[in-house]
Amino acid sequence: MLRVAIPNKGRLADQTLTLFEKAGLKAESRVDRALVANLGEEFQAIFVRAQDIPEFVADGAADLGVTGADLVAESGQGVTELLDLEFGRCRLAVAVREESPVQDARELAAQTRIATSFPRVTERFFDELQVPVHVASVSGAAEIAPHLGVADVIVDLVSTGSTLKVNGLREIGTIMDSTARLVANAPAVADDEKGERITELVTALESVIRARSKRYLMANVPKDRLDEVKAIIPGLSGPTIIEIRNGGKWVAAHAVVDSRKIYQTIIRLKDIGAEGILVTPIERLMP
Ligand code: AMP
């Protein structure tokens, strides 16, 4: 079995399990809160801290892992990134106290003290800016450091920005944007047998991710407006047009559409006289 390291708690845990389940790999363990579970027939899940996953994957303790791009960068471990899972979106940001006059990370004075649980990435960022800073590593709750007087600046993950706000902090720069990634052990990818199963897993996960932003639209449209229908719902390779038994002037048009454009698409279809419009989610999409 190939071993997949999955975050045991935190923002990525539930969404990772949901994604695998949608791809047909439901995590099943004999006991509640188990550290190991079967993930379909060919994979085994191990539940570990998201921070530890790059290391477990790099040294081969796990063949694959799901963790944040921020944690992969911070670990400095050599893992092969296979897929952006497009959830857990956040940014690693530099923030100062609200009342600070500093507007941009480049303006920070030499020897500014920075508290962060991302010391490596932070050092690299300021090295590149050629601003010599003093980085103090904390394991969490960096937001409190400026108020305790132990740091002037923090580097932390920001999602909505509300944590910074309630702690009286303001962003002055972004070090990196991050989402959850599927990463792999390089020798496992290169191995014939493991590599093939890894490719199959990537294909399955990718099809679920792709489907998330799409809907399947069906509508009855007047036969004499098919050119316009094609322009409104081009689909993946043109809409599917189906005869309706005793349909008279009507045919059915089916197509995959971008979920963000559904609202406009329906209005445009109605404008050319479409009826019986039906929109459904798609479980998987493999073009
Ligand atoms: P927010 O208030 O939404 O900006 O969230 C900020 C807090 O949530 C900080 O304590 C971050 O460390 C944490 N956080 C936000 N997004 C993520 C993420 N994708 N993964 C892990 N921690 C996160």
Side-chain angles (χ1 to χ4, degrees):
M1 281 210 198
L2 268 75
R3 203 174 272 167
V4 190
I6 288 179
N8 58 356
K9 56 184 179 197
R11 299 201 182 209
L12 307 182
D14 288 348
Q15 294 190 74
T16 303
L17 288 180
T18 306
L19 172 65
F20 275 79
E21 186 173 342
K22 284 191 174 163
L25 300 171
K26 186 171 161 51
E28 285 174 304
S29 54
R30 268 176 266 145
V31 289
D32 240 12
R33 297 160 64 89
L35 301 177
V36 180
N38 283 338
L39 204 55
E41 289 181 1
E42 300 189 338
F43 299 92
Q44 181 186 52
I46 55 165
F47 299 105
V48 291
R49 282 169 15 130
Q51 295 95 304
D52 296 332
I53 290 177
E55 189 175 338
F56 285 160
V57 172
D59 69 17
D63 300 293
L64 295 151
V66 172
T67 192
D70 50 295
L71 295 172
V72 174
E74 180 59 25
S75 75
Q77 300 281 353
V79 294
T80 304
E81 187 182 313
L82 298 176
L83 201 56
D84 183 345
L85 305 180
E86 298 178 11
F87 59 78
R89 196 172 291 281
C90 59
R91 56 190 179 275
L92 190 62
V94 186
V96 291
R97 292 178 72 156
E98 204 71 77
E99 59 273 23
S100 163
V102 179
Q103 298 298 327
D104 189 290
R106 278 171 291 223
E107 296 166 15
L108 287 174
Q111 300 316 320
T112 294
R113 295 165 307 160
I114 304 182
T116 183
S117 43
F118 292 84
R120 281 164 170 262
V121 180
T122 302
E123 299 253 16
R124 207 179 308 146
F125 177 75
F126 283 99
D127 275 355
E128 276 166 24
L129 290 186
Q130 296 186 344
V131 178
V133 294
H134 179 77
V135 177
S137 182
V138 295
S139 59
E143 303 90 352
I144 195 76
H147 300 287
L148 299 178
V150 296
D152 316 295
V153 173
I154 69 159
V155 166
D156 200 4
L157 296 177
V158 177
S159 167
T160 60
S162 65
T163 304
L164 288 186
K165 207 164 191 176
V166 299
N167 286 292
L169 300 168
R170 171 169 51 80
E171 279 179 69
I172 56 163
T174 299
I175 296 185
M176 69 179 288
D177 290 306
S178 178
T179 47
R181 305 291 158 93
L182 178 72
V183 294
N185 172 265
V189 177
D191 180 89
D192 279 352
E193 199 200 327
K194 283 186 174 182
E196 196 175 318
R197 283 187 286 161
I198 290 172
T199 304
E200 285 162 11
L201 175 69
V202 170
T203 304
L205 295 174
E206 213 169 13
S207 71
V208 176
I209 295 166
R210 201 180 292 118
R212 275 199 207 132
S213 60
K214 302 288 183 189
R215 297 290 179 273
Y216 196 66
L217 183 144
M218 298 168 258
N220 292 341
V221 295
K223 262 184 204 163
D224 59 359
R225 311 289 297 258
L226 282 181
D227 284 343
E228 286 146 291
V229 170
K230 194 171 172 190
I232 300 168
I233 47 170
L236 298 176
S237 49
T240 302
I241 305 298
I242 306 163
E243 286 292 338
I244 300 171
R245 196 172 168 90
N246 304 324
K249 68 166 189 152
W250 298 95
V251 287
H254 292 193
V256 171
V257 291
D258 194 331
S259 55
R260 286 169 308 182
K261 294 188 190 145
I262 278 289
Y263 184 80
Q264 283 304 324
T265 303
I266 290 174
I267 291 174
R268 290 175 68 196
L269 285 173
K270 284 225 158 261
D271 282 347
I272 60 158
E275 286 184 0
I277 300 170
L278 201 64
V279 179
T280 67
I282 301 170
E283 273 188 22
R284 292 207 204 183
L285 187 63
M286 281 168 268

